[in-house]
Amino acid sequence: MSDEPDLSRYADVLAWIDDLGTRDDDLLACWVGGSAATGGYDDHSDLDVTVLAAPGTFVRVFDDLLASLVSTLAPTSVWRLPDATYADGRQLFATFDVDPGALVGQTRLLDIVVHEATDEHRHVDVRRHGSPLVRFDRDGLVVERHDDETELRRGAAETIDQIRQDRKSVV
């Protein structure tokens, strides 16, 4: 028995992204994350894909990837996050089912993000994100590590303080 999730229902999506990786030199690395990497993957799990693009190319890579996704795999719907969501990335969600919310049979949902290949985006905290299922990584960019605990605590404290301040201004 294997601990690897059965991603066969996404075989066409994985073949598509692998093919793009061989044809576009600006696609530097790609991995599957989410529940496929952390556990809990089931018949209704989406496929979380991260792509790292060469510096200065993430917008073009994303636009080309989106056009190819629509023309090659014909999703029933695509939702693109606003460009301002990430300063150095773009994200979309696609479904291949007429009614994925019905949860009848297996669902096919794709969450794909393209980031510029910075140190921040190439490091994957395995405690939070699991071990990435790497599809390709030309230059050994994908690094598994633990995020800095001090920085995580500082960020959490900052968020809590901001919420506290926002609540005071409402009351």
mmCIF file of all heavy atoms in Angstrom, residues 101-119:
data_model
loop_
_atom_site.group_PDB
_atom_site.id
_atom_site.type_symbol
_atom_site.label_atom_id
_atom_site.label_comp_id
_atom_site.label_asym_id
_atom_site.label_seq_id
_atom_site.Cartn_x
_atom_site.Cartn_y
_atom_site.Cartn_z
ATOM 1 N N GLY A 101 -20.160 21.432 -6.525
ATOM 2 C CA GLY A 101 -20.694 21.505 -5.170
ATOM 3 C C GLY A 101 -21.666 20.392 -4.836
ATOM 4 O O GLY A 101 -21.969 20.152 -3.667
ATOM 5 N N ALA A 102 -22.172 19.701 -5.843
ATOM 6 C CA ALA A 102 -23.113 18.605 -5.607
ATOM 7 C C ALA A 102 -22.423 17.407 -4.960
ATOM 8 O O ALA A 102 -23.082 16.579 -4.335
ATOM 9 C CB ALA A 102 -23.770 18.178 -6.917
ATOM 10 N N LEU A 103 -21.100 17.319 -5.110
ATOM 11 C CA LEU A 103 -20.308 16.229 -4.532
ATOM 12 C C LEU A 103 -20.828 14.856 -4.960
ATOM 13 O O LEU A 103 -20.836 13.911 -4.183
ATOM 14 C CB LEU A 103 -20.239 16.339 -3.008
ATOM 15 C CG LEU A 103 -19.640 17.642 -2.471
ATOM 16 C CD1 LEU A 103 -19.681 17.657 -0.950
ATOM 17 C CD2 LEU A 103 -18.227 17.861 -2.964
ATOM 18 N N VAL A 104 -21.263 14.784 -6.218
ATOM 19 C CA VAL A 104 -21.690 13.513 -6.785
ATOM 20 C C VAL A 104 -20.498 12.944 -7.546
ATOM 21 O O VAL A 104 -20.048 13.514 -8.517
ATOM 22 C CB VAL A 104 -22.891 13.710 -7.750
ATOM 23 C CG1 VAL A 104 -23.269 12.396 -8.413
ATOM 24 C CG2 VAL A 104 -24.065 14.309 -6.994
ATOM 25 N N GLY A 105 -19.993 11.827 -7.086
ATOM 26 C CA GLY A 105 -18.793 11.258 -7.699
ATOM 27 C C GLY A 105 -17.583 12.121 -7.400
ATOM 28 O O GLY A 105 -17.624 13.043 -6.583
ATOM 29 N N GLN A 106 -16.497 11.826 -8.056
ATOM 30 C CA GLN A 106 -15.269 12.591 -7.863
ATOM 31 C C GLN A 106 -15.413 13.982 -8.478
ATOM 32 O O GLN A 106 -16.012 14.132 -9.539
ATOM 33 C CB GLN A 106 -14.087 11.881 -8.515
ATOM 34 C CG GLN A 106 -13.732 10.572 -7.861
ATOM 35 C CD GLN A 106 -12.535 9.923 -8.533
ATOM 36 O OE1 GLN A 106 -12.296 10.108 -9.720
ATOM 37 N NE2 GLN A 106 -11.800 9.144 -7.774
ATOM 38 N N THR A 107 -14.864 14.969 -7.786
ATOM 39 C CA THR A 107 -14.842 16.315 -8.346
ATOM 40 C C THR A 107 -13.453 16.597 -8.904
ATOM 41 O O THR A 107 -12.469 15.985 -8.487
ATOM 42 C CB THR A 107 -15.192 17.379 -7.279
ATOM 43 O OG1 THR A 107 -14.321 17.213 -6.158
ATOM 44 C CG2 THR A 107 -16.623 17.243 -6.834
ATOM 45 N N ARG A 108 -13.401 17.526 -9.851
ATOM 46 C CA ARG A 108 -12.127 17.931 -10.449
ATOM 47 C C ARG A 108 -12.036 19.454 -10.384
ATOM 48 O O ARG A 108 -12.709 20.153 -11.143
ATOM 49 C CB ARG A 108 -12.016 17.427 -11.888
ATOM 50 C CG ARG A 108 -11.776 15.930 -11.936
ATOM 51 C CD ARG A 108 -11.696 15.331 -13.325
ATOM 52 N NE ARG A 108 -11.465 16.197 -14.432
ATOM 53 C CZ ARG A 108 -10.278 16.337 -15.075
ATOM 54 N NH1 ARG A 108 -9.217 15.668 -14.675
ATOM 55 N NH2 ARG A 108 -10.178 17.132 -16.118
ATOM 56 N N LEU A 109 -11.246 19.918 -9.450
ATOM 57 C CA LEU A 109 -11.030 21.343 -9.227
ATOM 58 C C LEU A 109 -9.534 21.605 -9.228
ATOM 59 O O LEU A 109 -8.762 20.851 -8.633
ATOM 60 C CB LEU A 109 -11.619 21.767 -7.875
ATOM 61 C CG LEU A 109 -13.087 21.444 -7.651
ATOM 62 C CD1 LEU A 109 -13.433 21.533 -6.169
ATOM 63 C CD2 LEU A 109 -13.946 22.405 -8.450
ATOM 64 N N LEU A 110 -9.128 22.687 -9.868
ATOM 65 C CA LEU A 110 -7.714 23.028 -9.982
ATOM 66 C C LEU A 110 -7.471 24.391 -9.345
ATOM 67 O O LEU A 110 -8.175 25.349 -9.634
ATOM 68 C CB LEU A 110 -7.312 23.059 -11.461
ATOM 69 C CG LEU A 110 -5.894 23.497 -11.805
ATOM 70 C CD1 LEU A 110 -4.859 22.551 -11.199
ATOM 71 C CD2 LEU A 110 -5.722 23.590 -13.313
ATOM 72 N N ASP A 111 -6.480 24.450 -8.466
ATOM 73 C CA ASP A 111 -6.013 25.700 -7.849
ATOM 74 C C ASP A 111 -4.563 25.839 -8.286
ATOM 75 O O ASP A 111 -3.720 25.030 -7.893
ATOM 76 C CB ASP A 111 -6.126 25.601 -6.332
ATOM 77 C CG ASP A 111 -5.479 26.755 -5.582
ATOM 78 O OD1 ASP A 111 -4.836 27.628 -6.205
ATOM 79 O OD2 ASP A 111 -5.606 26.775 -4.342
ATOM 80 N N ILE A 112 -4.286 26.810 -9.145
ATOM 81 C CA ILE A 112 -2.919 26.959 -9.647
ATOM 82 C C ILE A 112 -2.434 28.376 -9.406
ATOM 83 O O ILE A 112 -3.138 29.345 -9.647
ATOM 84 C CB ILE A 112 -2.813 26.553 -11.134
ATOM 85 C CG1 ILE A 112 -1.369 26.491 -11.573
ATOM 86 C CG2 ILE A 112 -3.631 27.446 -12.014
ATOM 87 C CD1 ILE A 112 -1.157 25.707 -12.853
ATOM 88 N N VAL A 113 -1.230 28.458 -8.859
ATOM 89 C CA VAL A 113 -0.609 29.753 -8.601
ATOM 90 C C VAL A 113 0.751 29.777 -9.289
ATOM 91 O O VAL A 113 1.479 28.785 -9.280
ATOM 92 C CB VAL A 113 -0.492 30.039 -7.083
ATOM 93 C CG1 VAL A 113 0.380 29.031 -6.373
ATOM 94 C CG2 VAL A 113 -0.016 31.446 -6.819
ATOM 95 N N VAL A 114 1.037 30.905 -9.914
ATOM 96 C CA VAL A 114 2.339 31.121 -10.547
ATOM 97 C C VAL A 114 3.013 32.244 -9.780
ATOM 98 O O VAL A 114 2.450 33.334 -9.652
ATOM 99 C CB VAL A 114 2.192 31.519 -12.037
ATOM 100 C CG1 VAL A 114 3.561 31.845 -12.638
ATOM 101 C CG2 VAL A 114 1.492 30.419 -12.823
ATOM 102 N N HIS A 115 4.183 31.961 -9.240
ATOM 103 C CA HIS A 115 4.968 32.962 -8.515
ATOM 104 C C HIS A 115 6.312 33.157 -9.200
ATOM 105 O O HIS A 115 6.832 32.236 -9.840
ATOM 106 C CB HIS A 115 5.257 32.503 -7.078
ATOM 107 C CG HIS A 115 4.127 32.706 -6.136
ATOM 108 N ND1 HIS A 115 3.641 33.934 -5.783
ATOM 109 C CD2 HIS A 115 3.389 31.809 -5.446
ATOM 110 C CE1 HIS A 115 2.667 33.797 -4.919
ATOM 111 N NE2 HIS A 115 2.479 32.512 -4.704
ATOM 112 N N GLU A 116 6.847 34.331 -9.010
ATOM 113 C CA GLU A 116 8.231 34.554 -9.412
ATOM 114 C C GLU A 116 9.108 33.697 -8.493
ATOM 115 O O GLU A 116 8.817 33.539 -7.307
ATOM 116 C CB GLU A 116 8.585 36.028 -9.259
ATOM 117 C CG GLU A 116 9.933 36.349 -9.852
ATOM 118 C CD GLU A 116 10.063 37.805 -10.259
ATOM 119 O OE1 GLU A 116 9.131 38.351 -10.868
ATOM 120 O OE2 GLU A 116 11.125 38.362 -9.969
ATOM 121 N N ALA A 117 10.175 33.153 -9.037
ATOM 122 C CA ALA A 117 11.038 32.232 -8.293
ATOM 123 C C ALA A 117 11.943 33.001 -7.328
ATOM 124 O O ALA A 117 13.135 33.166 -7.569
ATOM 125 C CB ALA A 117 11.870 31.386 -9.252
ATOM 126 N N THR A 118 11.352 33.447 -6.220
ATOM 127 C CA THR A 118 12.114 34.129 -5.178
ATOM 128 C C THR A 118 12.408 33.139 -4.058
ATOM 129 O O THR A 118 11.811 32.061 -3.990
ATOM 130 C CB THR A 118 11.312 35.309 -4.597
ATOM 131 O OG1 THR A 118 10.125 34.783 -3.978
ATOM 132 C CG2 THR A 118 10.936 36.318 -5.675
ATOM 133 N N ASP A 119 13.309 33.518 -3.155
ATOM 134 C CA ASP A 119 13.599 32.654 -2.007
ATOM 135 C C ASP A 119 12.337 32.359 -1.208
ATOM 136 O O ASP A 119 12.129 31.243 -0.746
ATOM 137 C CB ASP A 119 14.657 33.280 -1.102
ATOM 138 C CG ASP A 119 16.063 33.015 -1.602
ATOM 139 O OD1 ASP A 119 16.245 32.118 -2.445
ATOM 140 O OD2 ASP A 119 16.991 33.710 -1.143
#
